[in-house]
């Protein structure tokens, strides 16, 4: 089932444009785009002055050699604000974290790295992948993908996500990190994020995908709670029996949802102001049919037709994301010996 869901998701979900820079070795001395060795070359009369890309690579190489640390400015999983971590420190922090020890005894098995260019500036971002095994229970084996950005002479921790159990994470070669997983037998969720030029986390969008609908119906758990749904049909009656005739619903959020906001109207306002729904069938945009459209109009949610979906595609493209039928290219990871 998981392979089927992933295959369907790849046919309808967001795609990240392929704009990566090619950085492959931790010990390279050729980080400028010209490919020339820097050495003692005179750069505009300033001997030995490193470019930003070269300085970034120097910092990353030191980290990979165990000679420098990453600064953390906000709590994220087991890494805490105000602390600095070497790779060895990060490895231990996960193993010793109370939440992880409550699951079992984890063993670090591998570390890998990769480089991307999230803002297409030529200044690389480092990706680390820390892999762990937990005894014989392979369902809890995990990879932690960690983003680190060199900014103003320091290494800033950006974000991490995990491949574990029913969750998954993937780093693409243009620096976009996708996280998510199956939410149920017919739903898939994903978040797309990257780092900006300052090394701060940049939210792109959240995606919910509902598969196998026999009509252009939005499940009621996606709708505002204050809407009158007394005449709204039960979506479970519209689960398709034939995959070839089914519709896919895509719910897109352009602001991160604040789960700490408990205000009564926050959820409903968020759905109406920040969410857009798109239906697809056989990789083509389709409009909601006349039976369901009046409900969506009255509720006040945005359900896009083909023309609106094209506008949405342009909007996402302007923000570094393509709405297409092919998954973006994952990074190639190199083992750190």
């Amino acid at each position: 089932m998981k392979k089927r869901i992933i295959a369907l998701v790849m046919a309808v979900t967001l795609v990240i444009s392929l704009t990566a820079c090619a950085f492959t070795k931790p010990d390279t001395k050729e980080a400028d785009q010209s490919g020339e060795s820097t050495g003692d070359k005179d750069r505009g009369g300033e001997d030995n002055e490193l470019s930003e890309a070269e300085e970034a690579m120097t910092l990353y190489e030191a980290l990979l050699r165990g000679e420098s640390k990453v600064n953390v400015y906000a709590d994220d999983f087991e890494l805490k604000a105000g602390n600095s971590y070497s790779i060895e420190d990060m490895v231990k922090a996960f193993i010793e974290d109370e939440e992880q020890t409550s699951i079992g005894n984890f063993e670090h098995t591998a570390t890998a790295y990769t480089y991307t260019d999230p803002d297409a500036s030529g200044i690389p971002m480092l990706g680390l992948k820390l892999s762990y095994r937990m005894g014989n229970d392979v369902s809890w084996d995990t990879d932690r993908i960690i983003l680190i950005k060199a900014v103003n002479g320091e290494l800033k921790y950006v974000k991490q996500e995990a491949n574990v159990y029913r969750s998954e994470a993937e780093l693409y070669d243009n620096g976009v990190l996708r996280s998510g997983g199956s939410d149920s037998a017919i739903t898939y969720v994903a978040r797309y994020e990257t780092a900006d030029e300052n090394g701060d986390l940049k939210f792109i969008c959240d995606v919910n995908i509902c598969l196998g609908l026999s009509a252009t119906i939005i499940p009621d758990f996606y709708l505002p709670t204050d809407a009158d749904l007394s005449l709204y049909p039960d979506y479970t009656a519209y689960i398709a029996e034939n995959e070839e005739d089914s519709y896919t619903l895509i719910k897109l959020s352009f602001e991160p949802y604040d789960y700490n906001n408990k205000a009564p109207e926050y959820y409903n306002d968020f759905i109406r102001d920040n969410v857009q729904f798109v239906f697809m069938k056989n990789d083509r945009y389709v409009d909601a049919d006349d039976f369901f459209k009046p409900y969506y109009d009255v509720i006040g949610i945005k359900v896009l037709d083909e023309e609106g979906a094209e506008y949405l595609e342009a909007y996402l493209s302007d923000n570094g994301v393509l709405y297409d039928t092919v998954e973006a290219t994952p990074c190639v990871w190199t083992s750190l010996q």
Side-chain angles (χ1 to χ4, degrees):
M1 175 63 74
K2 182 176 180 181
K3 289 183 178 179
R4 169 180 166 270
I5 290 175
I6 292 175
L8 288 169
V9 168
M10 290 175 66
V12 296
T13 190
L14 300 179
V15 177
I16 313 306
S17 58
L18 308 179
T19 57
C21 279
F23 295 93
T24 57
K25 292 183 174 181
D27 57 349
T28 181
K29 302 301 181 185
E30 299 178 354
D32 61 320
Q33 290 184 330
S34 68
E36 297 177 354
S37 177
T38 59
D40 295 328
K41 182 178 178 180
D42 184 348
R43 294 180 177 273
E46 297 182 8
D47 292 344
N48 303 324
E49 181 178 339
L50 296 179
S51 70
E52 288 187 65
E54 290 168 330
E55 180 181 45
M57 290 301 295
T58 298
L59 292 170
Y60 295 142
E61 290 165 8
L63 179 71
L64 294 172
R65 291 193 302 266
E67 298 172 0
S68 67
K69 296 187 176 186
V70 178
N71 297 324
V72 177
Y73 291 98
D75 290 353
D76 192 28
F77 288 92
E78 67 279 355
L79 303 183
K80 305 303 179 184
N83 293 333
S84 297
Y85 296 84
S86 66
I87 294 177
E88 183 179 358
D89 294 333
M90 288 187 277
V91 168
K92 290 181 179 179
F94 175 87
I95 293 174
E96 296 172 356
D97 181 68
E98 290 184 3
E99 182 176 352
Q100 308 309 324
T101 56
S102 68
I103 298 172
N105 296 319
F106 285 88
E107 174 191 0
H108 174 241
T109 57
T111 298
Y113 66 92
T114 191
Y115 293 105
T116 66
D117 185 7
D119 49 15
S121 64
I123 302 172
M125 177 174 69
L126 175 66
L128 288 178
K129 181 164 67 174
L130 306 181
S131 300
Y132 300 86
R133 182 173 56 232
M134 197 198 78
N136 296 323
D137 190 350
V138 296
S139 63
W140 288 105
D141 289 355
T142 181
D143 295 322
R144 286 293 179 94
I145 297 178
I146 299 172
L147 305 186
I148 297 167
K149 190 85 160 74
V151 180
N152 296 327
E154 71 163 325
L155 293 177
K156 291 181 65 175
Y157 173 87
V158 180
K159 176 74 173 180
Q160 69 170 300
E161 289 294 348
N163 271 306
V164 59
Y165 194 49
R166 293 175 61 180
S167 299
E168 60 185 38
E170 187 78 77
L171 180 61
Y172 296 114
D173 58 4
N174 69 336
V176 172
L177 178 64
R178 175 178 61 80
S179 58
S182 59
D183 200 35
S184 72
I186 64 170
T187 58
Y188 180 90
V189 298
R191 170 165 288 193
Y192 292 80
E193 299 169 298
T194 188
D196 65 17
E197 61 183 5
N198 297 315
D200 296 323
L201 185 66
K202 178 183 177 182
F203 175 85
I204 298 175
C205 57
D206 280 335
V207 183
N208 290 60
I209 298 173
C210 190
L211 306 166
L213 299 171
S214 65
T216 55
I217 184 171
I218 299 174
D220 53 14
F221 52 77
Y222 286 147
L223 301 177
T225 60
D226 61 357
D228 180 5
L229 300 178
S230 59
L231 299 177
Y232 194 71
D234 180 3
Y235 88 95
T236 58
Y238 289 86
I239 302 300
E241 295 182 2
N242 187 340
E243 271 187 20
E244 295 180 358
D245 296 328
S246 67
Y247 293 84
T248 297
L249 170 68
I250 303 174
K251 170 179 170 280
L252 295 143
S253 306
F254 299 104
E255 293 290 337
Y257 188 78
D258 181 5
Y259 288 94
N260 295 319
N261 191 333
K262 305 301 182 183
E265 293 304 312
Y266 173 70
Y267 173 80
N268 295 327
D269 291 343
F270 184 89
I271 293 294
R272 292 186 171 99
D273 296 339
N274 299 295
V275 172
Q276 298 188 31
F277 296 91
V278 181
F279 287 106
M280 297 188 75
K281 184 175 183 179
N282 299 327
D283 300 339
R284 294 183 60 85
Y285 305 115
V286 295
D287 193 8
D289 64 38
D290 292 338
F291 181 80
F292 297 107
K293 188 180 294 185
Y295 291 104
Y296 306 145
D297 291 341
V298 170
I299 291 170
I301 58 176
K302 302 178 183 67
V303 182
L304 303 185
D305 56 17
E306 184 171 354
E307 181 178 346
E310 290 176 354
Y311 163 80
L312 175 64
E313 185 172 343
Y315 172 86
L316 293 172
S317 179
D318 289 342
N319 286 274
V321 178
L322 294 180
Y323 198 77
D324 207 334
T325 58
V326 181
E327 195 57 271
T329 303
C331 286
V332 175
W333 296 91
T334 301
S335 177
L336 180 63
Q337 300 298 328

